[in-house]
Amino acid sequence: MSERRLADLLAMWRIRAFEEKVRDLRAEGPIVGSVHLCVGQEAIPAGACDVLEPRDALFATYRGHGWALARGVPAEPLFAELMGRATGVNGGRGGSAYFTAAEHGFHGENSIVGAGAPIACGAALAGRFDGSGRAAVSVFGDGAMNQGAVHEAMNFAAAFSLPVVFVCENNRYSELTPIADMVRAPRLADRAAAYGMPGHRIDGNDAEAVRFHMRDALEVAREGGGPTLLECMTERLVGHYIGDAEAYRQPGELERIRRREPIARLREGLLADGVPAADVDAVEHRARAEMESAAAAALDAPFADPATAREHLYA
């Protein structure tokens, strides 16, 4: 059990260390443009991706760095992509919010809120015809639950019993607005009943809880039972984007969040169960060393050549 939890800790620390290095590189200049970090939400991709198969298709949001890492995208070309380098996963063309790595089952981010949901339905439907047996996972935030495309995707997936898992990362803020101010019924998972599919609200700060429910949802999907909605309750430790003043937060809010964020919780639990502090701390050191090395290698890579800008386009 301790090995499994230490593996979860490593998966989360890899994401945390990557995101914190991205924050630093954005401040120093090598990364430019809009950047959205998932600091505090690491348990959801860590738990969910642990039970995905190589054939499965994952569709994330513009806050997708952690999902890409958890899906197996190497850190060095991911850093390179964010820095516009030729060695990036998309040759420096996608940047922070638009990259994709289909060879790892990561079919891209999307800066249009909720737009990945209908695309995931397409991947699931294609899997029915190509015999791959793939399941599709669509990730989005709580604000996307009010988007028409998400409604249409859920209805379509349910009507045709498509193997889709809809993962709502409910971090309590729709960009800068509390989700409580935007909906009358606070349990977003309850909406699943209207589509005739299962819906579960789960602890999104517990990688094991996410893994358990994702495994069940995938089993239902693969057996022809159709889609499931997982509302993963979590909180981000950073702004909606780098540069967000976070004036909407209440006094003392971040201090309260830090006491229950996933890495701190798991670390405390491991220590309470008798795992030596040196073993627990070594996980963080390992993750940070990996990300420092990957970032340094990406910084040494050449920039994307502007002469190649017209490649990968249709005439």
Side-chain angles (χ1 to χ4, degrees):
M1 179 62 74
S2 291
E3 282 123 6
R4 173 69 270 171
R5 294 163 74 199
L6 283 169
D8 286 342
L9 187 64
L10 177 60
M12 291 192 290
W13 262 124
R14 291 184 72 247
I15 297 171
R16 178 75 56 89
F18 181 91
E19 295 289 67
E20 290 181 346
K21 188 61 180 178
V22 168
R23 175 200 61 199
D24 295 344
L25 290 167
R26 179 64 178 82
E28 294 163 5
I31 294 177
V32 298
S34 183
V35 177
H36 302 75
L37 304 178
C38 68
V39 177
Q41 302 181 190
E42 297 90 351
I44 306 174
C49 290
D50 191 41
V51 291
L52 290 179
E53 298 180 3
R55 59 181 169 167
D56 295 331
L58 173 65
F59 300 84
T61 71
Y62 46 75
R63 202 182 305 280
H65 308 160
W67 284 94
L69 285 169
R71 195 68 175 104
V73 180
E76 182 181 329
L78 194 52
F79 273 122
E81 183 62 31
L82 271 60
M83 290 188 254
R85 308 297 169 128
T87 55
V89 289
N90 300 133
R93 291 172 169 81
S96 173
Y98 300 100
F99 67 84
T100 186
E103 66 274 21
H104 294 281
F106 183 81
H107 292 269
E109 299 177 297
N110 202 312
S111 68
I112 302 174
V113 175
I119 304 174
C121 289
L125 186 61
R128 177 172 293 173
F129 290 106
D130 65 20
S132 66
R134 85 168 60 84
V137 177
S138 173
V139 183
F140 45 82
D142 45 280
M145 286 289 289
N146 294 333
Q147 291 290 323
V150 173
H151 158 70
E152 293 177 15
M154 289 184 178
N155 184 66
F156 185 80
F160 292 93
S161 297
L162 297 180
V164 183
V165 182
F166 297 101
V167 178
C168 174
E169 297 179 296
N170 188 344
N171 62 22
R172 301 187 305 114
Y173 285 106
S174 302
E175 296 189 352
L176 316 183
T177 305
I179 184 63
D181 295 345
M182 302 300 295
V183 298
R184 185 168 184 173
R187 290 180 60 91
L188 302 180
D190 290 348
R191 298 188 188 183
Y195 304 105
M197 65 178 174
H200 306 283
R201 172 180 272 198
I202 66 176
D203 184 355
N205 283 353
D206 182 344
E208 177 56 37
V210 175
R211 178 164 45 243
F212 174 84
H213 285 281
M214 176 62 82
R215 183 185 292 114
D216 277 1
L218 288 169
E219 183 177 341
V220 169
R222 296 193 203 284
E223 292 179 352
T228 297
L229 170 62
L230 300 180
E231 180 189 7
C232 303
M233 304 304 294
T234 187
E235 292 161 307
R236 52 176 163 80
L237 294 169
V238 292
H240 173 64
Y241 55 88
I242 291 182
D244 177 6
E246 302 181 71
Y248 46 84
R249 291 195 187 271
Q250 299 299 311
E253 181 178 328
L254 280 173
E255 288 69 24
R256 292 192 296 273
I257 292 173
R258 289 190 182 101
R259 290 195 292 269
R260 56 182 182 252
E261 59 98 350
I263 290 178
R265 272 179 50 181
L266 183 51
R267 184 182 190 281
E268 182 179 340
L270 287 165
L271 294 175
D273 289 345
V275 178
D279 292 350
V280 176
D281 292 339
V283 173
E284 177 184 355
H285 300 325
R286 175 181 168 185
R288 291 197 182 279
E290 177 194 352
M291 297 308 158
E292 287 293 333
S293 176
L299 277 167
D300 283 341
F303 283 101
D305 184 354
T308 67
R310 293 188 178 184
E311 295 179 1
H312 311 291
L313 299 177
Y314 291 101

